Amino acid sequence: KQEVTQIPAALSVPEGENLVLNCSFTDSAIYNLQWFRQDPGKGLTSLLLIQSSQREQTSGRLNASLDKSSGRSTLYIAASQPGDSATYLCAVRDPTDSWGKLQFGAGTQVVVTP
Amino acid sequence: NAGVTQTPKFQVLKTGQSMTLQCAQDMNHEYMSWYRQDPGMGLRLIHYSVGAGITDQGEVPNGYNVSRSTTEDFPLRLLSAAPSQTSVYFCASSLTQGANTEAFFGQGTRLTVV
């Protein structure tokens, strides 16, 4: 069974510092990996989608890498801002069943201090 | 562009009551699903649908029922609410399965069963 792990569970950084968030998964046979942001009491907002054939994706200050062979993805957020404070979740789309369901990590809670 | 819309946003039920959580998407997505989010447990799949008239169980289906009569709507029914069903419920949709499939989530329904 696919297991997705995010370490650390919580992270606090001063404004301006780069953020590095980790996601690991046990089965490298994935369709894709998606990073989400969740603000307190809110829904999930999609940040980046990396297809299984891709090594990285970029959007503005965000860059996500994917290394399927080692079962890892890293989300980099450059020059962090207080508005980046949120919980970040990664999810892999697993092809082991006919639908390709999402398997989520537990998330990393980020606080960016002014 | 509404995306995925969930109603209600908040609900308090008494044990034994039944209710329906509504989910609608306007993106003509084939795939829709329901997750629950609990502290320390992450997001877990309840039920999913790969198209109108087709539904299947996820990880934690007991106590919930679904149907999909149209492409747009995927309601989740709680048959007889229990305190263990206190949770935040998220509906998600995606166009197809495969490597370039991005999942979109609603804003969630916060349910308390007393």
Side-chain angles (χ1 to χ4, degrees):
Chain A
K1 180 190 172 193
Q2 178 78 267
E3 292 185 4
V4 182
T5 304
Q6 292 185 251
I7 296 173
L11 184 61
S12 180
V13 299
E15 182 177 3
E17 196 166 294
N18 295 335
L19 278 165
V20 180
L21 306 177
N22 298 304
C23 173
S24 61
F25 47 95
T26 54
D27 188 343
S28 62
I30 62 171
Y31 274 145
N32 58 38
L33 186 144
Q34 198 167 352
W35 282 94
F36 295 90
R37 169 186 172 134
Q38 185 176 28
D39 293 291
K42 302 295 184 183
L44 280 69
T45 300
S46 179
L47 297 174
L48 288 169
L49 173 76
I50 311 177
Q51 299 181 38
S52 58
S53 59
Q54 297 175 324
R55 297 283 294 186
E56 66 176 353
Q57 275 286 353
T58 299
S59 176
R61 293 185 295 114
L62 276 61
N63 174 277
S65 65
L66 176 65
D67 183 346
K68 280 203 314 177
S69 61
S70 65
R72 292 184 180 182
S73 177
T74 303
L75 178 65
Y76 301 90
I77 303 177
S80 62
Q81 304 167 359
D84 294 328
S85 298
T87 296
Y88 293 83
L89 296 156
C90 68
V92 298
R93 189 173 288 272
D94 196 332
T96 57
D97 60 68
S98 61
W99 180 64
K101 71 178 184 183
L102 286 172
Q103 191 71 38
F104 281 87
T108 295
Q109 187 174 15
V110 172
V111 174
V112 181
T113 55
Chain B
N1 184 4
V4 180
T5 303
Q6 291 184 236
T7 56
K9 288 187 169 52
F10 301 93
Q11 183 71 49
V12 178
L13 285 179
K14 294 183 178 178
T15 297
Q17 286 185 316
S18 62
M19 80 159 293
T20 300
L21 280 62
Q22 301 292 344
C23 175
Q25 52 89 11
D26 61 359
M27 298 173 282
N28 202 29
H29 284 174
E30 296 176 22
Y31 295 83
M32 297 186 74
S33 54
W34 279 99
Y35 292 83
R36 60 178 289 174
Q37 185 177 37
D38 302 291
M41 303 291 289
L43 280 99
R44 293 179 292 169
L45 182 65
I46 304 171
H47 283 287
Y48 65 95
S49 170
V50 299
I54 306 170
T55 64
D56 207 344
Q57 297 180 351
E59 285 180 77
V60 287
N62 292 341
Y64 307 95
N65 202 0
V66 292
S67 60
R68 183 109 177 260
S69 56
T70 67
T71 300
E72 294 78 20
D73 301 300
F74 190 42
L76 178 72
R77 281 181 286 277
L78 277 71
L79 309 173
S80 177
S84 61
Q85 293 179 304
T86 293
S87 186
V88 182
Y89 292 84
F90 289 102
C91 179
S93 74
S94 56
L95 185 58
T96 62
Q97 75 179 108
N100 62 348
T101 301
E102 186 175 5
F104 297 88
F105 281 75
Q107 289 299 298
T109 295
R110 281 147 188 82
L111 176 68
T112 302
V113 182
V114 298

